[in-house]
Amino acid sequence: MAAKRQKADRLAKNFHRTFIPERQYLGELLKYAADGGAYEIRKIAEATGIPTGASSGKSIPTADYCRGMGLVSLAKPAAKDADTTLSLTPFGRTVFLEDKFFKEPFTQWLAHLRLCNEWRGADTWFYLFCESAPVFGNRAAVADMMKWISPLIGGKDPETAVSPTIRMYADEASFADCGAIVREKGELVRASAPVRPEYAVGYAAWLAECMELAGRGNGQVSVEELEVQAGFRRITGWSQSEAQEVLELLERKRLAEVDRHMHPWLVRFLHPSAPLWNRLYEEFL
């Protein structure tokens, strides 16, 4: 098994303050970040209209969702008395220009994949979608999942901490069109990421970026490394045959080279992630 580098920080379990991400507010936050807005509760609320009370509300959780989804990053101020500011990532800029209210299931899926990422995602999403996969696969009893995840995220009430992670994929104002997980008759049932030609650039960008963050952005990497560093099959829910189909799709699209003579297969991404994020919607009408 390939070795891991120390992971970057993920968002803590309670960053969402029980709120789900709402597509309308995500779009407003992207516009605010495009203007270099301050990462400050009142300033975000006043500029975007995202509801916020005197000391709490949705503005900071919305900004943090965007951070976890890899849409925005924080820029530390040069002056001590200045605010930290938000800026768009390459992914965030493309979404802002092409689909800022996340109407495309494709956009929702990419944001979901990045939210589940070990390097720069969110703790609860990482555990629920990535680390739980070898234990439960794509289906688990709610009680079993809560018992398993409780010591990982801490606290006495794991259902409250996990609730937004599940609710967002059933809410039309959020990521229902993605529907990555649903609650059915006492079970949590995961959906697999779609294997579609127009999604290929997005998957290549996501995987290439994961390997860059792991310090493996150049040269060949094994499918095993993709699993260790990116959660290739765990996060997506793909079977082995589906994962192979995706790699073959990336190869046909000239996004990657795949060496099938080695076992496990070796993959070399033909482009760094940054320019790929700019190409996300090139096959969408």
Side-chain angles (χ1 to χ4, degrees), residues 36-39 73-77 82-87:
Y39 180 66
S73 59
L74 298 180
K76 298 294 183 181
D83 290 318
T84 296
T85 57
L86 296 162
S87 61

Side-chain angles (χ1 to χ4, degrees), residues 1-4 117-119 126 130 203-212 214 216-217 219-236 238 243-244 246-248 250 255-259 264-269:
M1 186 69 71
K4 285 189 181 182
N117 189 269
E118 180 170 9
W119 300 97
F126 170 67
C130 187
Y203 291 153
W206 166 58
L207 291 169
E209 182 178 73
C210 287
M211 299 315 297
E212 290 162 4
R216 297 287 284 116
Q220 290 180 315
V221 296
S222 69
V223 173
E224 184 181 62
E225 279 188 280
L226 285 181
E227 189 58 56
V228 172
Q229 306 294 358
F232 178 43
R233 288 180 53 198
R234 287 172 294 163
I235 291 175
T236 58
W238 289 329
Q244 290 179 351
V246 169
L247 292 178
E248 291 166 352
L250 298 189
L255 298 166
E257 291 179 344
V258 181
D259 184 349
W265 288 0
L266 298 179
V267 181
R268 184 171 73 89
F269 295 101

Side-chain angles (χ1 to χ4, degrees), residues 21-259:
E22 296 179 55
R23 294 184 290 109
Q24 175 186 350
Y25 297 148
L26 294 176
E28 295 298 338
L29 196 285
L30 291 184
K31 182 178 185 301
Y32 179 74
D35 295 330
Y39 180 66
E40 195 278 325
I41 185 170
R42 299 304 307 174
K43 291 180 180 178
I44 294 174
E46 290 170 2
T48 64
I50 298 173
T52 294
S55 60
S56 65
K58 297 182 179 181
S59 63
I60 291 297
T62 299
D64 286 342
Y65 270 116
C66 286
R67 290 172 57 208
M69 293 173 183
L71 296 159
V72 305
S73 59
L74 298 180
K76 298 294 183 181
K80 291 184 178 180
D81 58 347
D83 290 318
T84 296
T85 57
L86 296 162
S87 61
L88 296 175
T89 64
F91 175 45
R93 182 163 296 282
T94 300
V95 172
F96 172 62
L97 294 174
E98 301 288 346
D99 187 26
K100 74 173 183 177
F101 292 118
F102 296 76
K103 293 181 180 180
E104 288 285 349
F106 170 63
T107 309
Q108 296 181 21
W109 269 107
L110 286 182
H112 163 75
L113 294 178
R114 302 189 87 195
L115 197 55
C116 300
N117 189 269
E118 180 170 9
W119 300 97
R120 293 178 183 173
D123 259 359
T124 305
W125 278 257
F126 170 67
Y127 290 123
L128 184 63
F129 288 97
C130 187
E131 294 293 86
S132 76
V135 181
F136 298 107
N138 286 354
R139 181 183 293 266
V142 174
D144 291 343
M145 179 64 78
M146 294 306 113
K147 182 178 180 180
W148 177 85
I149 205 171
S150 181
L152 297 172
I153 62 176
K156 298 180 180 179
D157 186 6
E159 285 224 40
T160 298
V162 173
S163 175
T165 313
I166 298 169
R167 286 189 292 116
M168 67 178 280
Y169 299 104
D171 195 314
E172 292 296 333
S174 188
F175 280 26
D177 287 338
C178 162
I181 195 167
V182 295
R183 190 167 183 155
E184 293 181 352
K185 299 179 180 179
E187 289 191 318
L188 296 174
V189 182
R190 290 182 52 185
S192 298
V195 180
R196 300 177 57 173
E198 63 269 31
Y199 284 32
V201 174
Y203 291 153
W206 166 58
L207 291 169
E209 182 178 73
C210 287
M211 299 315 297
E212 290 162 4
L213 290 171
R216 297 287 284 116
N218 297 316
Q220 290 180 315
V221 296
S222 69
V223 173
E224 184 181 62
E225 279 188 280
L226 285 181
E227 189 58 56
V228 172
Q229 306 294 358
F232 178 43
R233 288 180 53 198
R234 287 172 294 163
I235 291 175
T236 58
W238 289 329
S239 65
Q240 183 173 347
S241 62
E242 286 173 323
Q244 290 179 351
E245 184 180 354
V246 169
L247 292 178
E248 291 166 352
L249 176 61
L250 298 189
E251 189 171 45
R252 290 199 303 273
K253 298 284 187 180
R254 297 299 300 153
L255 298 166
E257 291 179 344
V258 181
D259 184 349

